[in-house]
Amino acid sequence: MSGRAQLMWDEAVTGYDFGPEHPMDPVRLDLTRRLVGALGLDREVDVVAAKPAGESTLRLVHREDYIRAVRAASVEPGSADQSYGLGTMDDPAFAGMHEVSALIAGLSVGAAEAVWRGEALHAVNFAGGLHHAMPGGASGFCIYNDASLAIARLLELGAERVAYVDVDVHHGDGVQAAFWDDPRVLTISLHEHPRTLFPQTGWPEETGGERAVGSAVNVALPAGTGDAGWLRAFHSVVPELIADFRPDVLVSQHGADTHFEDPLAHLAVSLDAQRAVQVACHELAHEYAGGRWVALGGGGYAVVEVVPRSWTHLVGVAAGVPVAPETVIPEGWRQEVFARTRQLGPVRMTDGRWPVGWAGWESGYDPADRLDQAVLATRRAAFPLRGLLP
Ligand SMILES: [Zn+2]
């Protein structure tokens, strides 16, 4: 088994481009890859490409008629079938859409295969994490659900239990839907409350289908939640569930849109707290999943200020050489940022926050606090279904 982590990368992922008016600007992927290089992290990981997901792989999650609709829209964007969510404001059709979406899916499937076969202990695909795509339709900037496909491939290869932890600011609804009735997959999503954010799902009461009672866990965070609350929620829910479930593999989705600068949502999390959760996921993988960890990107629309730093930290954590927060960003990268975006890039790998340590759920519990109410709602709804105390 290789100790080295894999970074899944193919420059062609930057072709995942819904156009100049769309918030998911692929420059975020390019700038992340360049920052990984500028900090020398690409010498600490094996940078590998993978084949695009083929028809039989896509069919592990997606419906045949939907794949056909994506292929058709990819050839003739003007005739995209909106009944599949294609050609909409969120998911405009573009030429080559099928190919690049299948490539991103293939990189996550390749990450899963490498980790399962022991070619790498950890594998990162920051172009992935497209967690809103449904079995039969596009949604929320997502065409094919690479996270679901990676999990489905792990099950196909023989994994008996896969845990999915999603800390994107939006509910991981597509992954939850794909495995709603499958007790082999535990999905845990922390997100801004459905009352104030797309996709308006992810209520604590969503706990899995009849054949998989308790296999979905949702934490609906109040708008405005900052570092202390976000970390408290994570640590009050995730480690206990993972310790009990003992997954063969941990798959995590690290959407960077929880950040206070993100233009599309309303949490107030810093880069430093995002990094702390990346470190926590890494530790959970080692403690309970034999180290097997597939880490994905996700949302993130502060494409210069936040995304590249957040996912560069993720690569550093997976590589076993976490980037010190106070690290000064090489000037060459900032020049590249200016050339590409006419924006001034950030100077350091930190927001200057020092997220405080974690004292335990019961300590400091305040029944009047909205964050604690949110955590308690989740624990009450989901924990007893798994035989855990609320
Ligand atoms: Zn998101």
Side-chain angles (χ1 to χ4, degrees):
M1 161 143 5
S2 166
R4 278 170 77 84
Q6 277 193 8
L7 172 60
M8 312 305 295
W9 179 252
D10 183 324
E11 228 173 76
V13 295
T14 58
Y16 193 82
D17 188 351
F18 292 113
E21 305 302 313
H22 196 281
M24 197 185 239
D25 185 340
V27 78
R28 69 199 195 121
L29 302 177
D30 182 54
L31 293 178
T32 302
R33 176 64 188 87
R34 286 172 189 274
L35 185 54
V36 165
L39 292 173
L41 289 174
D42 51 358
R43 295 192 300 269
E44 307 289 339
V45 292
D46 295 324
V47 181
V48 292
K51 279 187 307 192
E55 186 75 20
S56 62
T57 300
L58 294 172
R59 289 280 289 124
L60 293 175
V61 168
H62 292 291
R63 269 179 12 214
E64 196 174 1
D65 57 320
Y66 172 57
I67 300 168
R68 209 179 312 125
V70 176
R71 285 184 189 275
S74 189
V75 175
E76 251 189 283
S79 64
D81 187 341
Q82 295 205 352
S83 69
Y84 290 103
L86 301 164
T88 57
M89 287 280 280
D90 273 7
D91 300 280
F94 59 93
M97 182 171 71
H98 165 78
E99 285 73 17
V100 68
S101 304
L103 174 62
I104 291 173
L107 293 174
S108 291
V109 168
E113 290 173 346
V115 166
W116 184 255
R117 293 174 179 149
E119 293 154 21
L121 202 48
H122 313 321
V124 179
N125 176 23
F126 59 73
L130 302 176
H131 61 168
H132 296 306
M134 289 291 171
S139 174
F141 317 164
C142 305
I143 306 298
Y144 294 137
N145 197 316
D146 62 286
S148 294
L149 288 162
I151 295 167
R153 180 69 178 130
L154 287 167
L155 297 173
E156 191 183 44
L157 288 169
E160 290 174 2
R161 286 179 309 283
V162 179
Y164 174 73
V165 174
D166 184 320
V167 297
D168 191 285
V169 79
H170 302 93
H171 177 222
D173 58 342
V175 184
Q176 176 178 292
F179 303 103
W180 183 247
D181 240 340
D182 190 336
R184 297 173 298 173
V185 182
L186 171 64
T187 65
I188 308 171
S189 179
L190 278 81
H191 43 262
E192 181 178 330
H193 202 287
R195 222 181 267 123
T196 50
L197 197 66
F198 177 89
Q200 280 84 43
T201 54
W203 296 77
E205 293 75 20
E206 296 169 32
T207 51
E210 257 169 52
R211 282 175 308 214
V213 172
S215 70
V217 179
N218 287 288
V219 188
L221 300 162
T225 297
D227 286 358
W230 194 61
L231 293 172
R232 177 166 169 78
F234 181 92
H235 287 288
S236 300
V237 172
V238 179
E240 218 176 314
L241 290 167
I242 302 293
D244 174 68
F245 187 63
R246 305 262 160 180
D248 295 317
V249 186
L250 174 65
V251 178
S252 55
Q253 195 271 21
H254 297 268
D257 42 9
T258 48
H259 195 272
F260 55 78
E261 296 245 17
D262 196 274
L264 296 194
H266 325 93
L267 296 195
V269 171
S270 73
L271 194 71
D272 303 281
Q274 291 179 346
R275 182 183 181 280
V277 160
Q278 296 163 2
V279 169
C281 287
H282 178 231
E283 284 170 3
L284 287 171
H286 276 282
E287 213 163 329
Y288 302 110
R292 287 177 291 273
W293 183 32
V294 174
L296 308 172
Y301 309 98
V303 299
V304 170
E305 188 64 30
V306 178
V307 174
R309 290 189 297 163
S310 189
W311 295 343
T312 295
H313 276 304
L314 183 62
V315 172
V317 169
V321 285
V323 178
E326 61 277 13
T327 302
V328 173
I329 293 173
E331 187 54 34
W333 183 81
R334 302 185 67 237
Q335 282 166 4
E336 191 70 39
V337 166
F338 190 74
R340 297 288 309 275
T341 67
R342 298 288 137 189
Q343 292 182 53
L344 295 173
V347 176
R348 286 180 189 272
M349 290 295 288
T350 178
D351 288 329
R353 310 286 173 91
W354 296 95
V356 287
W358 160 244
W361 162 236
E362 268 137 39
S363 106
Y365 170 67
D366 175 1
D369 182 77
R370 288 174 66 220
L371 187 278
D372 281 1
Q373 288 168 3
V375 169
L376 190 60
T378 297
R379 293 183 60 108
R380 279 193 174 141
F383 276 42
L385 301 175
R386 303 206 66 86
L388 301 169
L389 292 172

